[in-house]
PDB file of all heavy atoms in Angstrom:
ATOM      1  N   ASP A 249     -66.646 221.304 -60.572  1.00  0.00           N
ATOM      2  CA  ASP A 249     -66.103 220.496 -59.460  1.00  0.00           C
ATOM      3  C   ASP A 249     -66.361 219.007 -59.743  1.00  0.00           C
ATOM      4  O   ASP A 249     -67.440 218.605 -60.204  1.00  0.00           O
ATOM      5  CB  ASP A 249     -66.797 220.863 -58.128  1.00  0.00           C
ATOM      6  CG  ASP A 249     -66.378 222.309 -57.707  1.00  0.00           C
ATOM      7  OD1 ASP A 249     -65.298 222.735 -58.080  1.00  0.00           O
ATOM      8  OD2 ASP A 249     -67.209 222.932 -56.968  1.00  0.00           O
ATOM      9  N   GLY A 305    -118.000 109.170 -10.113  1.00  0.00           N
ATOM     10  CA  GLY A 305    -117.140 108.830  -8.994  1.00  0.00           C
ATOM     11  C   GLY A 305    -116.077 109.871  -8.718  1.00  0.00           C
ATOM     12  O   GLY A 305    -115.505 109.914  -7.626  1.00  0.00           O
ATOM     13  N   VAL A 354    -138.492  93.383 -26.823  1.00  0.00           N
ATOM     14  CA  VAL A 354    -138.783  94.783 -27.136  1.00  0.00           C
ATOM     15  C   VAL A 354    -137.512  95.618 -27.193  1.00  0.00           C
ATOM     16  O   VAL A 354    -137.315  96.429 -28.098  1.00  0.00           O
ATOM     17  CB  VAL A 354    -139.771  95.373 -26.106  1.00  0.00           C
ATOM     18  CG1 VAL A 354    -139.939  96.878 -26.321  1.00  0.00           C
ATOM     19  CG2 VAL A 354    -141.116  94.666 -26.205  1.00  0.00           C
ATOM     20  N   ALA A 378    -142.298 102.132 -24.151  1.00  0.00           N
ATOM     21  CA  ALA A 378    -142.803 102.791 -22.944  1.00  0.00           C
ATOM     22  C   ALA A 378    -143.748 103.937 -23.291  1.00  0.00           C
ATOM     23  O   ALA A 378    -143.578 104.632 -24.296  1.00  0.00           O
ATOM     24  CB  ALA A 378    -141.640 103.310 -22.114  1.00  0.00           C
ATOM     25  N   THR A 380    -144.670 107.514 -22.428  1.00  0.00           N
ATOM     26  CA  THR A 380    -143.925 108.606 -21.770  1.00  0.00           C
ATOM     27  C   THR A 380    -144.767 109.868 -21.537  1.00  0.00           C
ATOM     28  O   THR A 380    -144.216 110.902 -21.166  1.00  0.00           O
ATOM     29  CB  THR A 380    -142.688 108.977 -22.613  1.00  0.00           C
ATOM     30  OG1 THR A 380    -143.110 109.481 -23.885  1.00  0.00           O
ATOM     31  CG2 THR A 380    -141.768 107.787 -22.793  1.00  0.00           C
ATOM     32  N   PHE A 409    -129.525  98.514 -21.994  1.00  0.00           N
ATOM     33  CA  PHE A 409    -129.790  97.104 -22.272  1.00  0.00           C
ATOM     34  C   PHE A 409    -130.818  96.561 -21.291  1.00  0.00           C
ATOM     35  O   PHE A 409    -130.915  97.041 -20.145  1.00  0.00           O
ATOM     36  CB  PHE A 409    -128.494  96.296 -22.155  1.00  0.00           C
ATOM     37  CG  PHE A 409    -127.341  96.892 -22.915  1.00  0.00           C
ATOM     38  CD1 PHE A 409    -126.364  97.616 -22.254  1.00  0.00           C
ATOM     39  CD2 PHE A 409    -127.263  96.772 -24.291  1.00  0.00           C
ATOM     40  CE1 PHE A 409    -125.313  98.190 -22.942  1.00  0.00           C
ATOM     41  CE2 PHE A 409    -126.217  97.344 -24.997  1.00  0.00           C
ATOM     42  CZ  PHE A 409    -125.233  98.051 -24.332  1.00  0.00           C
ATOM     43  N   GLN A 417    -128.265 101.192 -17.946  1.00  0.00           N
ATOM     44  CA  GLN A 417    -127.004 101.576 -18.562  1.00  0.00           C
ATOM     45  C   GLN A 417    -125.909 100.816 -17.835  1.00  0.00           C
ATOM     46  O   GLN A 417    -125.700 101.007 -16.634  1.00  0.00           O
ATOM     47  CB  GLN A 417    -126.796 103.083 -18.445  1.00  0.00           C
ATOM     48  CG  GLN A 417    -125.628 103.586 -19.282  1.00  0.00           C
ATOM     49  CD  GLN A 417    -125.456 105.087 -19.130  1.00  0.00           C
ATOM     50  OE1 GLN A 417    -124.531 105.548 -18.463  1.00  0.00           O
ATOM     51  NE2 GLN A 417    -126.358 105.848 -19.724  1.00  0.00           N
ATOM     52  N   ASP A 421    -124.787  99.965 -13.868  1.00  0.00           N
ATOM     53  CA  ASP A 421    -125.807  99.049 -13.356  1.00  0.00           C
ATOM     54  C   ASP A 421    -125.847  97.813 -14.253  1.00  0.00           C
ATOM     55  O   ASP A 421    -126.519  97.797 -15.280  1.00  0.00           O
ATOM     56  CB  ASP A 421    -127.174  99.753 -13.341  1.00  0.00           C
ATOM     57  CG  ASP A 421    -128.230  98.930 -12.623  1.00  0.00           C
ATOM     58  OD1 ASP A 421    -127.912  97.797 -12.198  1.00  0.00           O
ATOM     59  OD2 ASP A 421    -129.366  99.417 -12.478  1.00  0.00           O
ATOM     60  N   ASP A 447    -110.672 100.933 -44.779  1.00  0.00           N
ATOM     61  CA  ASP A 447    -110.081  99.994 -43.817  1.00  0.00           C
ATOM     62  C   ASP A 447    -109.440 100.704 -42.631  1.00  0.00           C
ATOM     63  O   ASP A 447    -109.505 100.206 -41.497  1.00  0.00           O
ATOM     64  CB  ASP A 447    -109.032  99.113 -44.515  1.00  0.00           C
ATOM     65  CG  ASP A 447    -109.656  98.125 -45.500  1.00  0.00           C
ATOM     66  OD1 ASP A 447    -110.904  97.988 -45.498  1.00  0.00           O
ATOM     67  OD2 ASP A 447    -108.901  97.495 -46.270  1.00  0.00           O
ATOM     68  N   VAL A 452    -109.330  96.620 -33.993  1.00  0.00           N
ATOM     69  CA  VAL A 452    -109.799  95.430 -33.282  1.00  0.00           C
ATOM     70  C   VAL A 452    -109.702  95.677 -31.781  1.00  0.00           C
ATOM     71  O   VAL A 452    -108.647  96.072 -31.266  1.00  0.00           O
ATOM     72  CB  VAL A 452    -108.976  94.181 -33.652  1.00  0.00           C
ATOM     73  CG1 VAL A 452    -109.419  92.976 -32.830  1.00  0.00           C
ATOM     74  CG2 VAL A 452    -109.124  93.868 -35.137  1.00  0.00           C
ATOM     75  N   ALA A 474    -115.108 104.909 -32.345  1.00  0.00           N
ATOM     76  CA  ALA A 474    -116.015 104.511 -31.264  1.00  0.00           C
ATOM     77  C   ALA A 474    -115.297 104.637 -29.927  1.00  0.00           C
ATOM     78  O   ALA A 474    -114.074 104.476 -29.842  1.00  0.00           O
ATOM     79  CB  ALA A 474    -116.499 103.081 -31.477  1.00  0.00           C
ATOM     80  N   ALA A 492    -116.658  79.749 -18.258  1.00  0.00           N
ATOM     81  CA  ALA A 492    -116.260  79.349 -19.619  1.00  0.00           C
ATOM     82  C   ALA A 492    -116.467  80.462 -20.637  1.00  0.00           C
ATOM     83  O   ALA A 492    -116.695  80.198 -21.819  1.00  0.00           O
ATOM     84  CB  ALA A 492    -117.022  78.091 -20.054  1.00  0.00           C
TER      85      ALA A 492
END
Side-chain angles (χ1 to χ4, degrees):
D249 291 333
V354 173
T380 63
F409 311 101
Q417 190 180 106
D421 189 357
D447 291 350
V452 176

